[in-house]
Amino acid sequence: MRIESKSDYKMYLSADLDALNIKPSLKNKLTHDIWSFQKSLRKLEYYLNCKHGLLSRVYTVLLRLRVRKKGRKLGFSIPPNAFGPGLSIAHAGTIVVNANARIGRNCRIHVCVNIGADIRDGNKAPNIGDDCYIGPGAKIYGDIVLGDNIGIGANAVVNKSFSGNVTIAGMPAKVISENGPKSYRDQKK
């Protein structure tokens, strides 16, 4: 899924805001660095996917520079069009995502996460489904597919595919629970 229209762009921003659990206030607009990064990333995605013409190309270059600058400040190396709507970056700190990785809707991602390419083919990277939780320090790499509603524990090393609705952890990762993150969120309600 990608931003393909102005309405998609607004929907992504709204979903990201909800996922971050912050209110659209002036204070947050001025002080919430992660929200500022995500807004810039989504605007870059919108211009890359929807706007064409010389002025749009020039503005896209400026947006790339803004996203890179904000990303470096926060420790993020996140390419455009990698995450679906509802991205929630938990904290500032190192997060590196390969440009070929695809992560679905409602992803919560923590610090020191690396989502990288296959060692044999740098164009093949993980494809992660919707409603995922990626714990601090997780390393996910290779030409793998992780299903919807998957939880990845802290410091897990994930180098093989897993179906959805599970929690995985360890080095190498293995299934530790038949419940995914949605079932834990539902228990809180």
Side-chain angles (χ1 to χ4, degrees), residues 40-153:
S40 296
L41 179 66
R42 297 309 191 185
K43 185 176 271 190
L44 173 59
E45 292 171 352
Y46 172 67
Y47 272 84
L48 281 172
N49 300 339
C50 301
K51 296 291 186 178
H52 306 290
L54 181 60
L55 286 177
S56 294
R57 287 195 298 263
V58 170
Y59 189 54
T60 300
V61 170
L62 295 174
L63 286 170
R64 279 189 188 278
L65 293 173
R66 180 188 301 167
V67 168
R68 183 181 300 158
K69 181 179 179 181
K70 288 180 180 196
R72 284 184 178 157
K73 176 183 173 188
L74 297 169
F76 305 154
S77 179
I78 299 175
N81 296 313
F83 288 89
L87 172 62
S88 174
I89 301 172
H91 306 283
T94 306
I95 296 174
V96 179
V97 179
N98 183 282
N100 295 311
R102 293 294 169 262
I103 300 93
R105 298 171 169 270
N106 305 319
C107 174
R108 179 146 173 98
I109 188 168
H110 286 266
V111 298
C112 297
V113 169
N114 188 316
I115 302 175
D118 189 277
I119 193 168
R120 293 172 294 279
D121 184 348
N123 292 320
K124 295 181 178 176
N127 188 326
I128 303 171
D130 297 340
D131 301 308
C132 68
Y133 171 88
I134 304 174
K139 308 301 181 242
I140 308 161
Y141 62 92
D143 185 18
I144 62 173
V145 176
L146 302 177
D148 293 344
N149 190 30
I150 194 160
I152 302 167

